[in-house]
Amino acid sequence: MQIDRKARLKIPFQPVPKQDPKERVKNWDEVYLGYDLPTAQLEATRCIQCPAAPCIKACPIDNDIPGALLKLEEGDVLGAAEVFRATNPAPDMCGRLCPQEALCEGDCVVGKVAIPVAIGKLEAFIADQQQAMGGRPIPQLPPPTGKRAAIVGSGPAGLAVAEQLALLGHGVKLFEAWPRPGGVLRYGIPGFKMDKRHIDDQVDYLHQLGVQFAYNVRVGYDVTIDELFDQGFEAVFLGQGAGQGNRLNVPGEDLEGVYMATEFLVRANLPPEELPSHLRQPIESGKRVVVIGGGDTAMDCVRSALRIGAREVVCAYRRSETEMGGREEERRHAQEEGVLFHYLTVPIRFVGDDSAHIKAVRFQRVELGEPDESGRPRPVPVIASDFELEADTVVIAIGYKVEKLLFQTTPDLKATDWGTIATEETGQTSRPGVFAAGDSVRGADLVVTALADAKRTAAAIDRYLGEKKSATA
Ligand code: SF4
């Protein structure tokens, strides 16, 4: 039955049920409980099927959103999943992790007169339903090409490149520095945002495509890129991400109880057996936790701190809420869960007790001045405005950069001025046969942009391997 636009616009927005904040801080389960099928179909029917579909253009991987939602509306959930999967290797993850308000939903035409269609939540619902109905069909693979590619890092970019190359008949082996696969998906994103079974599902699928995995191998240290070529790999993809936390460089940063965000997050929300031996000791829950930073990682840290039993959690940020970089939804969730926000405050010193353990953070108040190189107003210190906050745990979450190791051990691998890997549009680096994409090229960014870059780069690797084949045939 055809439903006209006016009727579609009259359907009210269908929110996704959520865990109550008081309950959810006691567990690591996802905040959103998910749609049921009739509600998801009703929400999908709010899509007015506009021919211009600006949502598609706003999606970094060009998902055919109206096409998928029409199939869901008609009750063809598996058909809807195939539409999303035609362009997106990880619709379950993107549906949960994309900042939809700045991407597809931000450009949704319905959003001009009402709440935009819940594209992300519907994408996640559709992918989850497909998984619950037995998962993706395993395609018939082409005959093996006899070419092998090594993938460094099993985060979003590495998994996506591995999938695409395996589907083209290439031999693929993924090298992961941590004990389990997933990179930032497992070790950076807490379970309350995305259940880790989504990573396991993707890895199971890749196993079925014949992809091999090696864990606890740090490429650049345990094995160099040149040694990978010596082992018979003919192309190497660098997708190790940007995992090294930026330091504040203020006195007292090395006190006991002061953590970098990654260490805090992994020790708080992963079981010891999924961690390297030096990180297996669970974090002791401090009563007063101060997190420095204002992006999504800072929100992950404050909310993780609550879940390991902190009584008071403060997020200290050097600008105002308007300039905060992360998702508004993540901030709202943190506020709902009881996190306190101190804006326009900059840490100037960490204060230790007699046993060199953190006991307080000394802050200075700032006000906003002229824009800096990021375009945001520069925080300007307010004279004689220092104050102290008691803290027995501090977490520094002020952004990430690319580790230097690979540049140090790979001759001729060029870096940009920002310390990321220099590549051409195709992902080709300065070393023949070595490609890179995702956060190691862009700096810390979104899962969906890493996937978009990975798809382009996998196509370039395939061309490169094809040319090598014809050259040696
Ligand atoms: Fe929206 Fe992200 Fe899905 Fe694209 S991948 S449709 S931006 S949620």
Side-chain angles (χ1 to χ4, degrees), residues 55 58-61 63 65 84 88 94-95 98 100 103-105 119-120 123 448:
C55 55
C59 167
I61 43 178
N63 274 344
I65 296 157
F84 275 131
N88 188 352
C94 290
C98 278
Q100 287 99 13
L103 300 173
C104 52
E105 293 175 22
I119 299 168
E123 186 175 4
V448 70

Side-chain angles (χ1 to χ4, degrees), residues 398-445:
I398 56 164
Y400 291 98
K401 60 186 174 197
V402 177
E403 240 194 357
K404 290 210 172 95
L405 178 69
L406 271 176
F407 298 114
Q408 290 159 347
T409 59
T410 315
D412 303 327
L413 181 68
K414 294 220 164 59
T416 64
D417 292 346
W418 302 273
T420 53
I421 301 174
T423 65
E424 295 170 11
E425 188 84 352
T426 56
Q428 170 70 59
T429 69
S430 51
R431 279 287 306 267
V434 180
F435 296 78
D439 287 1
S440 56
V441 173
R442 285 178 173 265
D445 202 352

